[in-house]
Amino acid sequence: MSDFKQELDARGLNCPLPILRTKKAMNGLESGDILKVVATDPGSVKDMEAFCKQTGNEMVSSSEAGGDYTFMIKKG
């Protein structure tokens, strides 16, 4: 999937930094825009799911490959 508005590289960052940077990036997007987040912290999987539920954003997809966790989040 390549139809995202912005990409956030959160590799090498540990909780809570991936979520904080995701929140900041989402604030700069408009409703319906998609943010691609790539993180290496395994805890980010549950964190991103919780973040989406709490903020009303939609987790379009979530995947893992070679230790990189990729999230596509649509701003609500």
Side-chain angles (χ1 to χ4, degrees), residues 30-50:
E30 295 187 19
S31 183
D33 287 345
I34 294 178
L35 175 68
K36 177 181 179 181
V37 181
V38 182
T40 50
D41 179 7
S44 64
V45 176
K46 286 188 183 276
D47 290 345
M48 291 294 177
E49 289 172 1

Side-chain angles (χ1 to χ4, degrees), residues 8-59:
L8 172 65
D9 184 355
R11 289 179 278 215
L13 301 176
N14 293 320
C15 185
L17 289 176
I19 286 294
L20 293 175
R21 299 230 174 135
T22 297
K23 183 175 189 223
K24 185 175 181 182
M26 292 300 283
N27 286 339
L29 298 178
E30 295 187 19
S31 183
D33 287 345
I34 294 178
L35 175 68
K36 177 181 179 181
V37 181
V38 182
T40 50
D41 179 7
S44 64
V45 176
K46 286 188 183 276
D47 290 345
M48 291 294 177
E49 289 172 1
F51 169 77
C52 287
K53 285 180 184 172
Q54 291 172 357
T55 58
N57 297 306
E58 177 189 350
M59 178 73 71

